[in-house]
């Protein structure tokens, strides 16, 4: 397994796990929002090194979904969309609290964006998020999440 | 995710059957020998074959080609047909995220014996500099804006040729003459348009590539000649799809169908199988958007062909003639006989290639007697195949689409270093131009099934016949 794993899974962390053709990543954190942030770091870190990349500004968005797992997919899809449409990748992100809204779920996200053209490519580039095996749930030791990303 | 045990029974030579236990509506049929059956720990492709058999309106069987492996919803290497008039569904997961991902083969006016190491290096360096791939937005064609993209979504490779990117003969050697009818750009979301606008003429990453190859062995000289191939001939194989636009269309429509399943009382074992009746507003909307993406994929490969032609002309002073261009991620409305009755079917091929037999009316005139070329890319270290469709193919005239993965990317990275792999390939005379060393390691030839075995089993199972075996000389890896 690759990734940033804390001892006993008590803090925050992420790792990639085997999937035959694509990228499967898992993350854990004390909060659901922290868990989504960890997964974004896991996915971006799987294909781009942003250490020397040029920061180009901030972007904010509100992601809406029917469930917490779909909210996770929505945030990842926002990252992929910004990469393709604007050539930007998040060097950092801040997530507001997940809110319930008329039966839906929403979260506000602020990205600190880097110019993707100045990033170092280190892996296959993600293009979509599968609904299969999409997870975000509370457990006895905090929150865990997982997603399979098409590359 | 818990695993489900799937029981296979042998049902003929290289043919296995999964009995149709409820909620399966038809059996599963897997074409493979013992070695090609999905065996990697955690590979759930056979469970996915069984899941596909639950789709409303599915007929005959849920099929798996010899290169089958784990996908999402559908397995990669899966074929399923639904009866449109019997409430049959269309499932974007049965097409895949990369709509109209496919393969194009071009034959060069030069033989392998005329291409020494220095000429090959010069050619590969030129391709390396001029074929966009990996991370970034820069495609070869800078479209004026969304309106011009709409024209391209309607016109496909034909639109590209009409604008100077290729020659009319190219269209004769493209599936559907380069343009699939029925595209509905209005069903393509703004996000999909934004993602696709700057990527026309780019390879992408992962398993996509542009490879310089040579014809290593000809199994069927007459058919090879009809295709335009001869022993020792240098070729170019291009594998790519509809980039961010196709992925966004799949994402948008899977989400919409997932929300509307209750409307048609559809119950599914896997959310990624989300579907809707073909004959419904949502079904028609998806097929219109999918067709637009198919045309984008064909135009994309047409642009990359032009980049290859420029490089061959500059480095070697020779041209490239299109052998064939075929999609292996697509759903098409086709008429097939089922239980003695001609029926209108929605045939999903996900990681599977249409394989028309000799005499099929959809073939271009110069291939009518030979049959349709079936392009089977292998790996950058082994081989690729050109096959031809056969009559009597029970899987709705479908065949394999590649070698099929057996290792996860994760496992490949643990076992292989990109720098070492590159050195090994170069030592075997294969010039490698990777987008990144890690991405190269993920695509190590060991991560795939034995393509020679896949081609042999495909032929023995009656799906397609081997025509020529190609070996790599140089690869631009996405």
């Amino acid at each position: 397994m690759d990734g940033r794993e804390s001892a006993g899974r008590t803090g925050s962390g992420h790792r990639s796990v085997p999937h035959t053709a694509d990228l499967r990543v898992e993350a854990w954190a004390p909060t659901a929002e922290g868990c989504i942030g960890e997964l974004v770091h896991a996915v971006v870190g799987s294909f781009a090194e942003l250490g020397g990349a040029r920061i180009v500004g901030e972007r904010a968005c509100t992601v809406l979904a029917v469930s917490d797992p779909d909210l996770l997919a929505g945030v990842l899809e926002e990252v992929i969309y910004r990469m393709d449409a604007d050539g930007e990748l998040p060097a950092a992100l801040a997530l507001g609290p997940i809110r319930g809204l008329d039966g839906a779920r929403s979260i506000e996200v602020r990205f600190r964006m880097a110019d993707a053209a100045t990033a170092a490519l280190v892996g296959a580039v993600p293009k979509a998020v599968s609904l299969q095996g999409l997870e975000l749930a509370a457990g006895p030791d905090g929150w865990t999440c997982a997603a399979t990303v098409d590359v | 995710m818990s695993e489900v045990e799937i029981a296979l029974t042998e049902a003929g030579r290289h043919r296995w059957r999964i009995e149709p236990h409820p909620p399966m509506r038809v059996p599963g049929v897997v074409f493979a020998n013992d070695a090609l059956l999905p065996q990697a720990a955690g590979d759930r492709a056979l469970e996915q074959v069984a899941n596909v058999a639950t789709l409303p309106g599915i007929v005959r069987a849920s099929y798996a080609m010899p290169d089958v492996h784990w996908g999402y919803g559908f397995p990669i290497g899966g074929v399923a047909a639904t009866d449109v008039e019997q409430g049959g569904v269309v499932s974007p997961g049965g097409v895949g995220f990369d709509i109209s991902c496919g393969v194009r083969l071009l034959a060069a006016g030069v033989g392998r014996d005329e291409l020494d190491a220095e000429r090959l290096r010069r050619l590969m360096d030129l391709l390396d500099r001029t074929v966009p791939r990996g991370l970034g937005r820069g495609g070869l064609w800078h479209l004026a804006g969304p309106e011009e993209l709409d024209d391209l979504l309607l016109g496909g490779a034909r639109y590209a040729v009409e604008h100077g990117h290729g020659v009319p003969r190219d269209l004769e050697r493209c599936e559907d003459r380069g343009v699939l009818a029925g595209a509905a750009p209005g069903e393509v979301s703004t996000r999909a348009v934004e993602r696709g606008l700057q990527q026309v003429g780019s390879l992408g990453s992962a398993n996509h590539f542009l490879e310089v190859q040579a014809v290593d062995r000809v199994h069927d000289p007459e058919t090879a000649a009809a295709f335009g191939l001869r022993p020792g001939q240098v070729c170019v194989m291009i594998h790519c799809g509809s980039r961010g636009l196709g992925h966004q269309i799949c994402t948008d429509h899977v989400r919409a169908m997932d929300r509307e399943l209750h409307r048609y009382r559809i119950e599914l074992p896997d959310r990624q199988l989300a579907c809707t009746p073909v004959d419904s507003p949502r079904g028609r909307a998806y097929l219109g958007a999918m067709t637009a993406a198919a045309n984008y994929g064909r135009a994309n490969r047409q642009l990359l062909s032009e980049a290859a032609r420029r490089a061959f002309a500059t480095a070697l002073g020779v041209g490239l003639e299109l052998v064939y261009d075929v999609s292996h991620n697509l759903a098409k409305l086709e008429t097939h006989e089922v239980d003695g009755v001609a029926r209108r079917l929605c045939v999903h091929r996900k990681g599977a290639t249409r394989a028309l037999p000799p005499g099929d009316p959809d073939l271009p005139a110069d291939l009518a007697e030979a049959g349709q070329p079936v392009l089977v890319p292998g790996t950058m270290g082994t081989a690729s195949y050109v096959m031809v469709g056969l009559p009597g193919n029970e899987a709705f005239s479908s065949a394999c689409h590649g070698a099929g993965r057996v290792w996860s990317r994760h496992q490949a990275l643990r076992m292989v270093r990109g720098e070492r792999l590159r050195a090994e390939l170069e030592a075997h005379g294969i010039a490698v131009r990777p987008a990144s060393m890690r991405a190269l390691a993920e695509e190590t030839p060991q991560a795939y099934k034995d393509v020679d075995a896949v081609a042999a089993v495909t032929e023995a199972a009656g799906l397609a016949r081997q025509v020529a075996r190609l070996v790599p000389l140089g690869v631009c890896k996405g």
Side-chain angles (χ1 to χ4, degrees), chain B residues 98-102 202-203 208 239-243 296-297 300-301:
Chain B
D98 196 1
I99 296 165
S100 193
C101 184
S202 63
L203 270 182
H208 295 149
H239 175 218
C240 66
S242 53
R243 309 287 284 113
Y296 184 104
N300 192 30
R301 290 192 289 275

Side-chain angles (χ1 to χ4, degrees), chain B residues 221-241:
Chain B
E222 197 174 326
T223 305
F227 290 175
L229 295 171
R230 55 183 164 77
Q233 185 164 25
V234 173
C235 297
V236 173
M237 184 175 276
I238 298 170
H239 175 218
C240 66

Side-chain angles (χ1 to χ4, degrees), chain A residues 1 16 19-22 46 70 77-78 80-81 84 121-122 124-125 127-128 130-132 148 150-151, chain B residues 43 71-72 97 137 191 194-195 199 205 244 247 251 255 270-272 405 407-410 436 438:
Chain A
M1 308 297 162
S16 67
H19 186 278
T20 310
D22 291 292
S46 73
D70 283 16
E77 285 165 2
E78 186 71 20
I80 293 168
Y81 162 64
D84 273 2
L121 179 68
V122 296
V125 181
K127 293 173 291 192
S130 172
L131 290 179
Q132 186 181 35
T148 305
D150 184 272
V151 296
Chain B
D43 189 306
Y72 330 107
F97 279 114
R137 293 173 289 168
R191 281 199 164 203
E194 289 179 87
R195 290 180 68 180
Q199 295 182 328
S205 73
H247 285 77
T251 297
R255 295 293 186 275
D270 179 344
R271 285 181 76 193
Q272 196 64 30
R405 279 192 85 97
W407 282 6
S408 67
R409 296 181 177 279
H410 190 278
S436 89
R438 184 170 137 166

